[in-house]
Amino acid sequence: MASKWQTTRLLHGVRAIFGGQGPPLILIPGWPQTAEAFSGIFEPLSKHYQFYALDPPGLGESPAPANGYDTANVSKIMAEAVHDLLKEKPYHLVGHDVGGWIAYPWAAQFQSRIKSLSILDASVPGFLPPFQFPMSNQTNLRLWQFSFNALPELPEILTQGRERELLTWFFNLKTVREDGISKDQFEGYIQAYSRPGAMSRGFEYYRAYETSSKQNLDFAKTPLDLPVLALGGASSVGSGMVNMVQSFATNVSGGAVDDCGHFLPEEQPSAVTQKLLEFLKANEKE
C-alpha cells in the first residue's frame, strides 16, 4: 500500500485507512481480509472521493465488538464511528463479502445518512436460497465456509498454526487466476489472521449468521429506496447479486464482473473502479 494513505482510529477503536478529496466514501472488506483489500482501487477513487477503508470490529486491527457479532450490532458500531467522524455529512457505502453483510443493515438503520449503497459479491444473511442436501459439488465448494466456520471449537482446533495453509487453499479456490491476490496483500492477510484469536473473531461472524438473517428479514419489511449497486464475480455469484439485492431494495442496478471470482477489488480493480465511479457519480447529491 502506498505510504501516501494515512491510518487512524475512529470511535470504538475502528481502524481506518483514508485518503483523497471529495465526498466521503466508506469501504468495508470481508473475511479473511483487512481494509487493505481495497488498496488496488485507492488511487483512482482518491481523485474523486475521500475514502475511508475500515477494518470491521474483530477483523484486521479493529477490536472485537462488545455486544456480539450479529450484523445489526456491528453495523451500528461502525456507523457510530463514521458519524462521529463525518458529523452531518452524507456518504456512500461499499461492502464486499462480510463487508456486504454489514453494509445492508447499516443502510437499513441509517438510510437518511447514505447517498448510495454498493454490495460486492456477498451472500447477505437472510437472502440465500434454500438448499437441498446433499448439495452439488459446485455449491458446496462455494459455500462450505458457512457451515464449517459456524461450528463451535472445531474450526479453531483444525486451523490453529495452519492459517497459511487454509487461506492459501481458500484464495486459490475463489479466484480465477493464480495472481488474483497480490503477494503483498496475501502476506498481509496471513499476518493479520495468524495473530492470537484472529481466526476465532472471523468465525464469530458466521456463528452469528442465523441471528443476522433474522434481523435482516425484519429490516427488509421496509425495502431500501436508495440507489444500490450489486456486483458479483462472473465465476462466483455473478449477476445473481442483482436478484438477491432486489429482496431488500427497490432501486437496484449491477451485474457480473468478467474474468473474476469472489474477490472483486483485488482481482479486477480497474473494472470495479470503473463500475463504482460510474454509479457513484450518477448518484452524487449533497
Side-chain angles (χ1 to χ4, degrees):
M1 184 184 67
S3 60
K4 66 189 291 185
W5 315 126
Q6 297 178 275
T7 303
T8 190
R9 293 280 177 174
L10 308 182
L11 186 68
H12 303 304
V14 173
R15 173 181 176 255
I17 303 171
F18 69 98
Q21 293 183 333
L25 172 63
I26 309 302
L27 307 168
I28 317 172
W31 179 90
Q33 298 155 285
T34 64
E36 282 81 2
F38 295 97
S39 59
I41 65 175
F42 285 166
E43 181 66 39
L45 291 180
S46 72
K47 296 176 181 178
H48 307 275
Y49 294 91
Q50 184 171 52
F51 70 82
Y52 295 87
L54 312 181
D55 281 340
L59 303 185
E61 296 180 23
S62 291
N67 297 313
Y69 286 81
D70 59 276
T71 53
N73 177 55
V74 168
S75 62
K76 185 178 180 182
I77 290 170
M78 297 185 77
E80 288 176 351
V82 167
H83 297 169
D84 178 70
L85 172 73
L86 299 180
K87 307 308 178 188
E88 299 302 317
K89 286 185 180 179
Y91 52 90
H92 299 281
L93 184 61
V94 179
H96 169 250
D97 185 73
V98 168
W101 302 7
I102 296 167
Y104 166 57
W106 183 333
Q109 294 174 96
F110 302 99
Q111 185 169 183
S112 65
R113 297 296 308 272
I114 298 171
K115 295 181 179 181
S116 74
L117 171 66
S118 298
I119 300 181
L120 314 181
D121 214 90
S123 297
V124 178
F127 306 105
L128 276 178
F131 294 102
Q132 292 185 338
F133 289 86
M135 290 191 291
S136 69
N137 187 54
Q138 181 180 7
T139 301
N140 195 41
L141 282 172
R142 187 164 69 86
L143 299 177
W144 67 273
Q145 70 272 21
F146 286 84
S147 297
F148 177 78
N149 290 2
L151 293 171
E153 302 176 357
L154 185 63
E156 285 87 346
I157 292 170
L158 296 179
T159 62
Q160 185 174 2
R162 299 187 62 83
E163 294 87 0
R164 179 176 294 274
E165 287 81 359
L166 172 65
L167 299 189
T168 298
W169 183 85
F170 187 77
F171 282 109
N172 286 342
L173 173 69
K174 290 183 173 286
T175 54
V176 170
R177 292 173 280 105
E178 289 185 5
D179 62 349
I181 306 292
S182 74
K183 183 177 180 181
D184 287 346
Q185 282 178 313
F186 178 71
E187 290 300 325
Y189 300 154
I190 296 297
Q191 181 181 6
Y193 286 91
S194 295
R195 297 176 184 134
M199 289 297 283
S200 287
R201 291 189 290 273
F203 296 147
E204 291 298 336
Y205 277 91
Y206 292 83
R207 290 166 179 157
Y209 193 91
E210 184 175 1
T211 299
S212 299
S213 296
K214 293 175 181 178
Q215 294 168 344
N216 286 347
L217 290 171
D218 193 45
F219 288 138
K221 293 175 183 177
T222 304
L224 298 177
D225 61 5
L226 53 75
V228 183
L229 178 67
L231 296 176
S235 294
S236 185
V237 182
S239 58
M241 280 297 302
V242 173
N243 294 332
M244 184 191 68
V245 173
Q246 285 174 336
S247 300
F248 55 78
T250 59
N251 183 7
V252 185
S253 60
V257 178
D258 293 336
D259 191 29
C260 190
H262 172 61
F263 296 97
L264 275 68
E266 294 104 315
E267 292 187 70
Q268 289 292 347
S270 295
V272 170
T273 298
Q274 180 180 350
K275 291 178 182 296
L276 272 178
L277 287 177
E278 288 175 354
F279 172 73
L280 295 173
K281 290 177 181 178
N283 293 287
E284 192 60 64
K285 60 183 184 296
E286 293 299 332

